[in-house]
Amino acid sequence: IWITNNFENKTPKGLGILSFNNVQLELLPRDEDMEIYIPVKVNTSKFNFNLLAVWNFYWACKQGRFKDLKGDNCLEWTALEHYKPILNDPTLIVGDWNFGPTFSQEAFVKLNNILNEQDIKSLYHEFENIPVTDTKNYTYKSPMKSFHHLDHMFGSSYFLNKMKSFKISSLDEAILSDHASLLLELDD
């Protein structure tokens, strides 16, 4: 599944969800104005879960009713409320939020508070046992050589209880992206 909000570019960027080993992806109903928030049902041989994949443009929506909208009614908060019915256990929310503990920390704390109300936690912060305002890793390197932790994986209690390891790969390993990979290993 691949979605873009940059239709006029000859080589548009977007968000892709890939699966392998007979994992099936089913696109769930989505609000097109919510740009690159992709709700998916993931079906595996062992269990099924809902996934909300995110590439949040924060205040830079390109079209629709959220274009240039900031504040409490902007895209990220409205999308979380809109997709709340699918965020039941087990669920993952994964992607580039374009904010985090090192950039727009206030918005990241707000995000964590909203998700905590649904018993969904930052898997990285839970695994590292650090406050959501801290990080030990960076997931993005800007062209100006500044580093930030912008990519996040949030999980419901199923994932929290099965989490064996959580790793952020080195930015030096990122070849076709300026973002590091997030790797979650679960117990069987």
Side-chain angles (χ1 to χ4, degrees):
I1 298 171
W2 184 82
I3 293 180
T4 184
N5 69 345
N6 197 354
F7 303 102
E8 300 188 13
N9 191 323
K10 290 182 182 179
T11 56
K13 293 180 181 181
L15 177 61
I17 306 169
L18 310 173
S19 69
F20 52 92
N21 292 344
N22 294 319
V23 173
Q24 302 296 313
L25 302 175
E26 175 190 343
L27 184 63
L28 296 173
R30 63 184 291 270
D31 183 326
E32 296 293 323
D33 278 352
M34 291 185 177
E35 294 195 332
I36 306 184
Y37 283 71
I38 309 173
V40 174
K41 180 72 162 181
V42 180
N43 300 301
T44 76
S45 61
K46 294 185 179 183
F47 73 105
N48 303 327
F49 64 95
N50 288 336
L51 167 70
L52 182 60
V54 175
W55 184 9
N56 182 47
F57 281 89
Y58 200 33
W59 45 267
C61 293
K62 297 188 182 307
Q63 67 268 324
R65 70 185 188 275
F66 296 102
K67 183 177 181 178
D68 300 323
L69 191 60
K70 299 176 185 176
D72 288 338
N73 297 319
C74 66
L75 175 60
E76 55 267 33
W77 314 132
T78 305
L80 286 174
E81 186 62 32
H82 177 78
Y83 291 117
K84 194 179 206 176
I86 70 158
L87 301 180
N88 48 6
D89 193 34
T91 195
L92 282 177
I93 303 170
V94 183
D96 176 1
W97 284 85
N98 275 310
F99 56 70
T102 60
F103 183 78
S104 193
Q105 190 178 85
E106 184 179 332
F108 187 63
V109 168
K110 180 176 180 174
L111 171 64
N112 277 273
N113 289 339
I114 289 170
L115 295 176
N116 286 344
E117 290 174 5
Q118 296 173 246
D119 201 28
I120 297 172
K121 310 259 186 220
S122 167
L123 297 179
Y124 168 79
H125 290 91
E126 291 292 316
F127 185 78
E128 293 292 340
N129 196 27
I130 58 175
V132 297
T133 53
D134 292 343
T135 190
K136 297 178 181 178
N137 301 88
Y138 299 108
T139 65
Y140 170 73
K141 176 175 61 175
S142 76
M144 292 140 332
K145 305 291 188 238
S146 61
F147 294 85
H148 291 290
H149 187 157
L150 304 176
D151 304 271
H152 307 283
M153 186 180 300
F154 298 92
S156 63
S157 59
Y158 177 89
F159 292 98
L160 285 166
N161 295 331
K162 297 272 189 180
M163 185 167 43
K164 186 175 182 179
S165 70
F166 189 96
K167 179 184 175 195
I168 296 175
S169 65
S170 167
L171 280 165
D172 294 334
E173 296 173 13
I175 297 169
L176 299 175
S177 177
D178 51 3
H179 290 261
S181 299
L182 308 180
L183 306 167
L184 173 65
E185 183 181 7
L186 301 176
D187 284 326
D188 284 338

